[in-house]
Amino acid sequence: MKPIRIITPTGHLGTTPLEKGSFERGCAQRPDYIIADSGSADIGPYPLGADRPASSEVWQRHDLEAMLVAARKLGIPMIIGSASDTGTNRGVDQYVRLIKEIAAQHKLAPFKLAAVYSEVPVSDLIHRVQAGETIAGLNGRPTADLALLKRTDRVVAVMGVEPIRAVLRDGADVIIAGRSGDCAIFAAPILNAGGGEADAYFCGKAMECASFCGEPFMGKETILGRVDSEGVFLTAMHPAQRCTPASVASHAMYERLNPFREYVPGGFLDMSRCRYEQVDEKTTRVTGQTFVADAETWIKLEGAGKVAERALFILGIRDPYTIANLDRAIDWTKGKLAERFGPVGGTYDVFYHDYGRGAVMGEMEPTPAKSPLEVGIVVEVTCDDAARAEVICHIAAKNLFYARLPDVKGTAGTAAIMSDEVLHARPAYEWTLNHIIKAKDQSEFFSTRFETIHA
Amino acid sequence: MTTLKDLASTIRSKNAGVDLITFDIIFRDRDAFVRVRDSAVITPARVADMFRVPPADITDFVVFEPARAIKFTIRRKVPSGSPGERDVFGSQQYPPLFEIRIPD
């Protein structure tokens, strides 16, 4: 195969800005591609469900500008996956707009842009289930039924390599892709150059979070990946960072339940026999990975739906007696809520996040809290109706101020109120779909649009 | 008494998708890794007990030699970011591991 060299400056384009120094060093290596992923499911279900970006457009533009200007100067393709955090059609269109604005600002020569869309209408999935297709649950989730789909506001399919390979073959200079597998955006050009699947997907797996595969720990620094007939080579571009066998191997297990397998549409990457070798100060070579093809193509679906409106209130408690009896005080306030609004968990719900006393780990906390000096409480109320959520949240918080405990000495208020107001939170959403669906081929759920960008 | 935090260079937790939290215990020093691995004090049963989850909710448990790491994954009770969520990224669930005692 023809050796392929790729740089990636960020593991999640747009969250915080990429670092220019190592990016420029990467560009000076004259790579064949500049690639970055812009998505994450870590941000919770709200951005997908409500179709809003999680990142600031200031940083999205910053990173796209650095990458686009460099890619056009070098005359090489640029690939962005999972546009604007979630990869919805809105995200793709937003990034296409930014690319046009940046091209105009820098008076770039005309280039060919491909937008690859990955949103799937919920109605389409409902029809498929009614027609007998299976939407199988991942990670122990049950098969999706109509009730689950009806609770879902927005769905993206996660693309594999094929839609990206196709637009590269058709001459795309800039690819803005909807929701994409982390590996896929890197593996696609390597496969097009004649690389094997195992090396292509491994290179993607190692590079998807940029400098997270190097040591010491640094974010937003550029990594150079090379694939040739000798294996996969990963090189850190920051002067103080190295890719070592330990750093590359430990990244292989990052954010994954299993460090030996990476599932992609059409099979999985088997990393159980990988060999990691330091080949120079900053570079590790990886060989021994294999690819196990699946006769069927399954595409992952991510979906989110709105659960309720939400309101918050912030309190603090200093009285050691109240802190020692906080469960009783909370039970009392819940009882007062039930008297007026019906049972908690019925038409509304309330959560007392007791920071200092177990809020972070909750039921998973093995260590009983010692008596903290202070406890901070965020009262969270969810309810279908925003105005009612506000009323309930106000009472849910204020009743802690008036909590009735038998031996309380501070009878002028049992909580410190940071600001006497209910805070309007964005609505509560939930991840409804973490599922897979069988596809005819890897292109089934995706559509492509080409456009020539003239500054 | 030696504890895990004395021997491991990285102890972390993080989402692995929206339904799981994965825990990585990584050793810079190979001898420390071998000592903890061979002590067999970190087991699926032990971590299930520590985090108060049923053993069936430990979905994976692996000793990963290339990274000198022990890795396990816990199923969340509800998906990340649902109402009442306390750790959207799953990034602050690891500290109880620090105090696991490792025999000499």
Side-chain angles (χ1 to χ4, degrees):
Chain A
M1 72 172 287
K2 175 173 158 271
I4 284 279
R5 296 156 85 247
I6 297 170
I7 59 168
T8 187
T10 172
H12 182 170
L13 182 148
T15 46
T16 57
L18 65 80
E19 297 288 345
K20 285 256 169 82
S22 64
F23 179 62
E24 283 163 8
R25 265 186 289 275
C27 292
Q29 299 285 319
R30 303 204 65 82
D32 302 299
Y33 293 88
I34 302 177
I35 300 177
D37 178 56
S38 185
S40 175
D42 284 335
I43 51 183
Y46 173 83
L48 175 61
D51 202 11
R52 305 266 302 172
S55 300
S56 160
E57 190 169 291
V58 172
W59 304 128
Q60 294 173 328
R61 178 192 292 272
H62 172 276
D63 286 7
L64 288 172
E65 181 178 5
M67 292 174 68
L68 179 66
V69 170
R72 297 323 307 141
K73 195 169 159 192
L74 289 163
I76 60 174
M78 156 179 165
I79 307 173
I80 303 295
S82 302
S84 199
D85 305 307
T86 56
T88 59
N89 294 355
R90 174 208 59 78
V92 173
D93 290 339
Q94 181 204 354
Y95 277 20
V96 170
R97 169 176 61 78
L98 289 172
I99 291 289
K100 287 179 182 171
E101 290 173 7
I102 296 161
Q105 179 192 336
H106 290 269
K107 300 186 171 54
L108 298 177
F111 57 90
K112 197 169 170 183
L113 177 142
V116 187
Y117 294 94
S118 64
E119 210 170 304
V120 182
V122 176
S123 58
D124 177 46
L125 296 176
I126 288 174
H127 291 142
R128 285 169 182 265
V129 167
Q130 284 169 336
E133 286 187 47
T134 298
I135 301 178
L138 290 171
N139 305 133
R141 285 189 175 219
T143 298
D145 58 14
L146 292 177
L148 182 74
L149 293 172
K150 284 172 182 163
R151 295 211 313 268
T152 301
D153 291 321
R154 199 161 297 276
V155 179
V156 285
V158 183
M159 73 182 78
V161 290
E162 279 309 325
I164 300 162
R165 292 186 68 176
V167 293
L168 282 171
R169 279 193 297 262
D170 290 340
D173 297 306
V174 173
I175 300 172
I176 300 296
R179 190 67 171 133
S180 328
D182 291 340
C183 294
I185 52 175
F186 296 92
I190 299 169
L191 292 169
N192 278 7
E197 284 162 314
D199 284 356
Y201 287 116
F202 187 89
C203 187
K205 176 75 197 90
M207 294 186 76
E208 49 109 358
C209 282
S211 48
F212 278 11
C213 71
E215 64 175 293
F217 173 77
M218 293 181 189
K220 310 291 174 184
E221 299 289 354
T222 292
I223 293 290
L224 171 71
R226 183 176 100 233
V227 177
D228 63 23
S229 55
E230 305 295 311
V232 178
F233 297 77
L234 298 149
T235 309
M237 290 290 108
H238 188 279
Q241 214 191 18
R242 309 166 63 213
C243 289
T244 67
S247 74
V248 175
S250 73
H251 184 67
M253 68 181 183
Y254 180 67
E255 296 183 326
R256 293 292 184 274
L257 71 166
N258 184 310
F260 299 123
R261 287 186 177 195
E262 177 75 7
Y263 285 88
V264 298
F268 69 88
L269 173 68
D270 184 344
M271 296 178 277
S272 59
R273 286 178 299 280
C274 281
R275 290 183 302 278
Y276 302 84
E277 302 158 74
Q278 194 82 50
V279 294
D280 67 36
E281 172 66 18
K282 298 172 81 70
T283 303
T284 283
R285 176 171 82 144
V286 189
T287 52
Q289 49 275 14
T290 54
F291 185 76
V292 181
D294 188 341
E296 295 176 339
T297 297
W298 290 80
I299 300 286
K300 186 179 174 191
L301 300 173
E302 296 175 347
K306 185 174 170 182
V307 180
E309 299 291 340
R310 214 156 56 98
L312 306 174
F313 199 108
I314 301 174
L315 300 159
I317 297 177
R318 175 65 175 80
D319 183 331
Y321 173 76
T322 307
I323 290 173
N325 291 281
L326 192 55
D327 287 331
R328 287 169 68 189
I330 289 172
D331 286 346
W332 183 81
T333 64
K334 284 184 174 172
K336 297 304 283 181
L337 290 177
E339 279 176 23
R340 197 162 288 277
F341 303 107
V344 174
T347 57
Y348 70 98
D349 216 336
V350 59
F351 306 91
Y352 289 91
H353 297 276
D354 51 347
Y355 288 95
R357 216 191 57 132
V360 173
M361 295 195 62
E363 290 162 328
M364 280 169 66
E365 176 61 71
T367 315
K370 299 198 183 88
S371 296
L373 188 65
E374 296 182 352
V375 174
I377 298 177
V378 177
V379 182
E380 175 185 7
V381 168
T382 55
C383 176
D384 282 346
D385 181 77
R388 188 160 179 259
E390 181 176 339
V391 170
I392 296 172
C393 188
H394 191 249
I395 298 287
K398 277 299 184 69
N399 274 342
L400 266 188
F401 185 83
Y402 297 123
R404 292 180 195 174
L405 292 170
D407 297 318
V408 74
K409 294 188 196 299
T411 54
T414 47
I417 288 169
M418 195 209 98
S419 176
D420 192 357
E421 60 181 323
V422 173
L423 305 175
H424 294 278
R426 58 195 193 182
Y429 279 76
E430 67 170 332
W431 288 110
T432 52
L433 290 182
N434 176 26
H435 286 69
I436 50 175
I437 188 166
K438 196 153 87 179
K440 287 194 291 287
D441 55 49
Q442 280 198 35
S443 301
E444 181 172 354
F445 292 93
F446 309 98
S447 62
T448 296
R449 179 174 64 78
F450 276 96
E451 190 173 344
T452 300
I453 308 295
H454 298 275
Chain B
M1 179 58 80
T2 309
T3 59
L4 190 60
K5 70 174 184 299
D6 301 323
L7 297 172
S9 51
T10 297
I11 301 176
R12 66 189 181 192
S13 61
K14 182 77 199 287
N15 287 346
V18 302
D19 293 319
L20 305 169
I21 298 177
T22 195
F23 294 72
D24 299 335
I25 305 165
I26 306 174
F27 301 85
R28 188 171 295 125
D29 178 54
R30 171 137 188 104
D31 291 342
F33 167 63
V34 169
R35 176 174 165 191
V36 172
R37 182 194 66 189
D38 293 351
S39 74
V41 294
I42 301 174
T43 62
R46 175 75 182 268
V47 297
D49 185 54
M50 169 171 272
F51 291 105
R52 301 169 178 236
V53 298
D57 282 354
I58 307 294
T59 66
D60 280 76
F61 187 99
V62 245
V63 175
F64 185 42
E65 299 277 345
R68 298 190 292 266
I70 297 168
K71 180 178 181 65
F72 61 91
T73 301
I74 296 182
R75 180 172 289 120
R76 283 174 170 269
K77 279 190 89 166
V78 292
S80 158
S82 298
E85 173 63 74
R86 45 196 163 73
D87 188 356
V88 176
F89 286 60
S91 53
Q92 275 295 303
Q93 303 302 306
Y94 60 84
L97 295 167
F98 285 6
E99 301 307 325
I100 293 178
R101 291 181 171 190
I102 308 298
D104 291 326

